[in-house]
Amino acid sequence: MPDDDPEPPGPTRQRNIYMQGLADVTPDLPVRYEDLEATALDALDDGAAGYVAGGAGGEETMDANREAFTEWRIVPRMLRDVEDRDLSVEVLGQEFAAPVLLAPIGVLSIVHEDAEIAVAEAAADLDLPMCLSTVSSFRLEQVAETLSHEDGRGWFQLYWSSDRAVTESLVERAEDAGFEALVVTLDTPLLSWRERDIEEAYLPFLDGEGLANYFADPAFLDRLDVDPAENELAAIREFVDVFGDPSLTWDDLELLVGETDLPVVVKGILHPDDAAEAVDRGADGVIVSNHGGRQVDRAVPALEMLPEVVDRIGEDASVLFDSGIRRGSDAIVALALGADAVMLGRPYVYGLALDGADGVRAVGQNFLADLDLTLGLAGQSSIEGLDRSVLRER
Ligand code: FNR
């Protein structure tokens, strides 16, 4: 934030920062999401482009995620004094300046060499929390250091290893590094059938990308005969063996919740019964998500399940949403349906691909400006005040 800004902190100041931000938008970065995506995919090599843009099977779920938004229309209201708008929300008892987090996205080195460090810098500048993936290209400690140096905030996303010692070690490291919540991704005990990646014979982990956390983890290193620097292939094979655990059950979640002091948010929830079970087992929040259509082809669009999950557990736990958020109006729909916050995924990766930290910053600024303007023009002055009365179902 600029030191010479005379305005006090608060809703008005946030609005102005986002709008001032518009002046700094990288001119070359497309503003329309469709152009941003196309330009970024053009700039990437085929393997990386397919990995980021692709989904499971015939990619029906990816399309359905977007289609689901067309079922909801915003009904703008007039003459309601929307001069000062408040984008802030409370999630897990934590105060956020805006209802947006950057979703955990792995192996960002395949789109830009600065990868998660660039995302951390941009997230801190934007005052948006970053959720760091387990399969990051930089160690979680390095990313945490960047975040805290820049006054940023972070959550850590856990891929639950089949080796308990590795899981425990990752959680302990995330706690020690200062991450404020643990996001446990439940929808990826196995990597799915991704046709683009199979056709390209592309899986970045097999090239040693995205494994920084494992290669620096004492419990993981204990499994190896020699250091990854000496025999990378053996280390990669070991990663493939321990990455996921399809045998996990809800009893395991309860154990994990008991082992950490961090609030636990489970990611990948679609069925309201699963949401209720997660809360019964001690989770503090859920992320309604189908992993951007990357895991189960023909899975139900995440947005379709959001109202049921909110109705079931919204009073007892935080509910976040991702899978298909592209513009401010998408966020308004999800928030009006009861999400406490949304996660932005592929859009910021395309910003990163085109212009590193500046690209992520530009995408974030545009998104927040759009969100702020759409909120006000809908006749609403706060995110906390949104509810389903703002929407009309088609
Ligand atoms: C992801 N996602 C993901 N989720 C997670 O929990 N850990 C991870 O490491 C990753 N990695 C990852 C890589 C790539 C390239 C993508 C596109 C997505 C899923 C992510 O957090 C989020 O759920 C989706 O991106 C939401 O879908 P949209 O809105 O980006 O389409």
Side-chain angles (χ1 to χ4, degrees), residues 4-190:
D4 56 353
D5 190 335
E7 284 187 55
T12 310
R13 182 186 172 117
Q14 286 163 14
R15 176 201 59 190
N16 288 347
I17 284 168
Y18 296 142
M19 298 311 294
Q20 279 161 11
L22 271 179
D24 305 327
V25 165
T26 314
D28 296 339
L29 207 76
V31 173
R32 288 182 72 242
Y33 173 75
E34 294 74 14
D35 297 339
L36 174 75
E37 179 185 48
T39 311
L41 294 179
D42 256 4
L44 292 171
D45 62 54
D46 289 350
Y51 185 77
V52 176
E59 303 185 341
E60 302 262 347
T61 302
M62 267 180 12
D63 296 341
N65 279 342
R66 289 297 305 144
E67 183 89 20
F69 281 92
T70 66
E71 293 301 313
W72 295 100
R73 305 282 167 85
I74 297 166
V75 186
R77 303 294 304 276
M78 303 299 134
L79 294 178
R80 290 159 62 111
D81 184 359
V82 292
E83 188 177 9
D84 290 335
R85 297 175 296 281
D86 183 359
L87 298 189
S88 69
V89 289
E90 201 183 293
V91 182
L92 301 178
Q94 302 170 13
E95 279 290 330
F96 290 173
V100 186
L101 294 92
L102 300 187
I105 305 253
V107 272
L108 289 175
S109 56
I110 65 172
V111 306
H112 195 281
E113 61 183 353
D114 298 338
E116 297 83 11
I117 297 294
V119 178
E121 280 171 12
D125 284 352
L126 292 161
D127 206 3
L128 300 181
M130 167 187 186
C131 185
L132 176 70
S133 164
T134 302
V135 286
S136 55
S137 324
F138 288 87
R139 284 182 292 111
L140 65 92
E141 290 83 2
Q142 294 170 288
V143 178
E145 207 177 297
T146 306
L147 281 170
S148 59
H149 184 254
E150 311 273 339
D151 272 346
R153 302 173 62 177
W155 290 5
F156 181 72
Q157 176 266 323
L158 177 73
Y159 275 133
W160 199 331
S161 170
S162 58
D163 182 333
R164 280 301 147 94
V166 172
T167 300
E168 277 169 29
S169 174
L170 285 167
V171 171
E172 208 177 294
R173 287 169 59 198
E175 287 171 351
D176 291 348
F179 286 93
E180 293 176 65
L182 191 67
V183 171
V184 184
T185 298
L186 301 183
D187 59 17
T188 316
L190 303 160

Side-chain angles (χ1 to χ4, degrees), residues 104-106 133 157 159 185 267 291-292 294 322-324 326 345-346:
I105 305 253
S133 164
Q157 176 266 323
Y159 275 133
T185 298
K267 177 169 181 284
H291 214 107
R294 296 167 71 77
D322 77 28
S323 296
R326 300 290 176 262
R346 287 183 175 98

Side-chain angles (χ1 to χ4, degrees), residues 29 35 58 63 109 128 132 163 202 215 221 233 236 245 254 262 290 296 341 351-352 369:
L29 207 76
D35 297 339
D63 296 341
S109 56
L128 300 181
L132 176 70
D163 182 333
Y202 184 81
F215 288 5
L221 294 176
L233 199 61
I236 291 169
D245 185 354
E254 203 168 330
L262 293 176
N290 58 27
V296 178
L352 176 70

